[in-house]
Amino acid sequence: MSEEQTRKAESLVAVVVTHNRLEKLKAVVTRLLESPAAELQAVLVIDNASCDGTGDWLAAYPDPRLLVVTSAENIGGAGGFETGMRLATERFDPDWMVVMDDDARPAPGALAAFHGADKAGCEAIAAAVYFPDGRICEMNRPSRNPFWHGREFFGTLLRGRGGFHIAPDDYRGAGRRVDVSSFVGLFVSRAAFALVGYPDGRLFVYGEDGLFTLGLSKAGGRIRFAPDIAFEHDCSTFQARPGQFRPLWKVYYYHRNLLLLYRMAAGWMFWPALLVVLPKWLLKLRHHPGERAVFLRLLGRAVIDGLRGRRHRPHGEVLALAGDS
């Protein structure tokens, strides 16, 4: 068997987590199952207790490669990914999994490009993620850990986020090694789970992908950014206004989980880095006129829990902090 045939023989399963976004999910499932079985063995959807008709639509979908697991309650993206990735291993034991949210999908030809890629020496492959209009999706730009690499460290001091995230030119290059990536278009090998286990479902939402991929890199796993594999992400977290969280309860998870990620990334430099990070977070108040007291309450609890390493707070308590019923 040729090297090319060997690559294409590797099995691939997609894991998608959804909650009440049926119209976007339809586009994702349809796009995935346009790929032949030789490219995609199965699609596993974790339905986080949706109540918008998602269950009925999925139940009626005619492709036998679609497997649906419905959670009795919303366990968040993190809980969904942990559940889905564990179940995909148990049911299919694939060579690779590709994970995505319910508003993200492979561009046409992306899965074929993955199978044709040279994956030797890689435990994970990160796709290039774009908005539907073709712009680079900022929230899904892979990065290098600046605390592990001198060039990125000094670049971060000079340019902030641009110093450690991959540059726009990298999207036109041959690919490069990265330390951190998101769960949008991330292809994870069986070997990766052997090194680092599964994502932490207790985090509910945000950061589980960063902690998983950074943990993989820390354990010696290699992640390659592959610009020739493209994904589309129709995301809306900051759709209402740049920098504004919707719904507001996301403030808690975003900042608590980011603290956990920073601690893993920075090591002994975490505490001096915190002196820079916290004032920047407080400046986000300007994006939330009329709800600043609630923002501060959520941010304060996030910082306390993050510093204490508390990874699980019942979602109902977070909603109460945000004033939601």
Side-chain angles (χ1 to χ4, degrees), residues 33-78:
L33 290 171
E34 287 172 354
S35 296
E39 291 179 1
L40 187 62
Q41 179 183 356
V43 175
L44 173 57
V45 175
I46 303 298
D47 178 8
N48 263 336
S50 297
C51 54
D52 63 346
T54 291
D56 292 338
W57 185 82
L58 289 170
Y61 202 88
D63 197 312
R65 289 180 293 163
L66 179 62
L67 174 64
V68 180
V69 175
T70 302
S71 175
E73 61 181 2
N74 184 5
I75 55 177

Side-chain angles (χ1 to χ4, degrees), residues 74-127:
N74 184 5
I75 55 177
F81 281 119
E82 180 182 4
T83 298
M85 293 161 89
R86 286 184 182 277
L87 185 58
T89 297
E90 294 171 6
R91 291 286 185 93
F92 304 105
D93 190 27
D95 298 304
W96 291 83
M97 294 182 206
V98 58
V99 293
M100 66 207 75
D101 293 323
D102 56 4
D103 58 358
R105 55 191 178 266
L111 300 189
F114 166 76
H115 284 287
D118 182 3
K119 298 177 280 295
C122 296
E123 279 71 40
I125 301 286

Side-chain angles (χ1 to χ4, degrees), residues 1 81 83 96 174 228 240 244 268 273 280 325:
M1 182 178 288
F81 281 119
T83 298
W96 291 83
D228 53 333
Q244 192 176 72
W268 67 270
K280 289 184 176 180
S325 57

Side-chain angles (χ1 to χ4, degrees), residues 76 114 129 146 150 165 168 174 214 251 268 282 298 316:
F114 166 76
V129 184
H165 282 77
L214 184 62
V251 169
W268 67 270
L282 287 171
L298 288 162

Side-chain angles (χ1 to χ4, degrees), residues 249 315-316 319-320 322-325:
W249 53 260
H315 186 54
L319 292 177
D324 294 344
S325 57

Side-chain angles (χ1 to χ4, degrees), residues 117-118 126 169-177 224-229:
D118 182 3
D169 285 347
D170 291 316
Y171 284 74
R172 298 184 291 273
R176 58 176 300 183
R177 186 169 175 178
R224 186 173 78 85
F225 171 64
D228 53 333
I229 304 172

Side-chain angles (χ1 to χ4, degrees), residues 4 56 68 94 215 217 235 240 271 283 317:
E4 184 72 11
D56 292 338
V68 180
S217 299
C235 56
W271 295 104
L283 289 176
E317 292 184 11

Side-chain angles (χ1 to χ4, degrees), residues 17-297:
V17 179
T18 188
H19 174 69
N20 282 344
R21 291 198 290 202
L22 177 56
E23 292 309 310
K24 292 186 177 184
L25 178 68
K26 287 179 180 180
V28 176
V29 171
T30 301
R31 175 67 58 79
L32 283 168
L33 290 171
E34 287 172 354
S35 296
E39 291 179 1
L40 187 62
Q41 179 183 356
V43 175
L44 173 57
V45 175
I46 303 298
D47 178 8
N48 263 336
S50 297
C51 54
D52 63 346
T54 291
D56 292 338
W57 185 82
L58 289 170
Y61 202 88
D63 197 312
R65 289 180 293 163
L66 179 62
L67 174 64
V68 180
V69 175
T70 302
S71 175
E73 61 181 2
N74 184 5
I75 55 177
F81 281 119
E82 180 182 4
T83 298
M85 293 161 89
R86 286 184 182 277
L87 185 58
T89 297
E90 294 171 6
R91 291 286 185 93
F92 304 105
D93 190 27
D95 298 304
W96 291 83
M97 294 182 206
V98 58
V99 293
M100 66 207 75
D101 293 323
D102 56 4
D103 58 358
R105 55 191 178 266
L111 300 189
F114 166 76
H115 284 287
D118 182 3
K119 298 177 280 295
C122 296
E123 279 71 40
I125 301 286
V129 184
Y130 300 90
F131 289 113
D133 63 7
R135 291 176 297 130
I136 293 171
C137 191
E138 185 67 23
M139 69 183 295
N140 299 125
R141 272 207 293 165
S143 64
R144 303 249 291 169
N145 182 2
F147 297 98
W148 293 349
H149 309 286
R151 180 178 178 181
E152 282 78 6
F153 180 81
F154 289 106
T156 301
L157 293 179
L158 294 173
R159 306 195 308 276
R161 179 183 175 90
F164 62 95
H165 282 77
I166 60 171
D169 285 347
D170 291 316
Y171 284 74
R172 298 184 291 273
R176 58 176 300 183
R177 186 169 175 178
V178 295
D179 301 318
V180 182
S181 190
S182 72
F183 278 173
V184 172
L186 182 70
F187 295 80
V188 187
S189 69
R190 184 189 294 115
F193 298 117
L195 276 174
V196 76
Y198 293 88
D200 188 346
R202 297 174 297 173
L203 299 174
F204 195 76
V205 67
Y206 291 131
E208 76 282 358
D209 45 8
L211 285 161
F212 174 82
T213 52
L214 184 62
L216 175 60
S217 299
K218 189 175 181 180
R222 290 147 296 186
I223 307 169
R224 186 173 78 85
F225 171 64
D228 53 333
I229 304 172
F231 263 66
E232 303 163 0
H233 194 185
D234 187 13
C235 56
S236 57
T237 292
F238 301 111
Q239 188 176 41
R241 182 175 175 178
Q244 192 176 72
F245 288 86
R246 285 292 177 265
L248 193 59
W249 53 260
K250 290 185 176 183
V251 169
Y252 170 80
Y253 293 110
Y254 179 86
H255 295 94
R256 182 200 63 180
N257 296 351
L258 203 52
L259 276 182
L260 298 173
L261 180 63
Y262 285 166
R263 176 166 270 175
M264 179 185 288
W268 67 270
M269 295 187 69
F270 171 73
W271 295 104
L274 200 60
L275 298 178
V276 177
V277 168
L278 291 181
K280 289 184 176 180
W281 286 357
L282 287 171
L283 289 176
K284 295 179 183 181
L285 278 170
R286 69 186 186 277
H287 298 303
H288 293 273
E291 52 191 14
R292 288 171 177 166
V294 179
F295 180 94
L296 282 174
R297 183 163 66 241

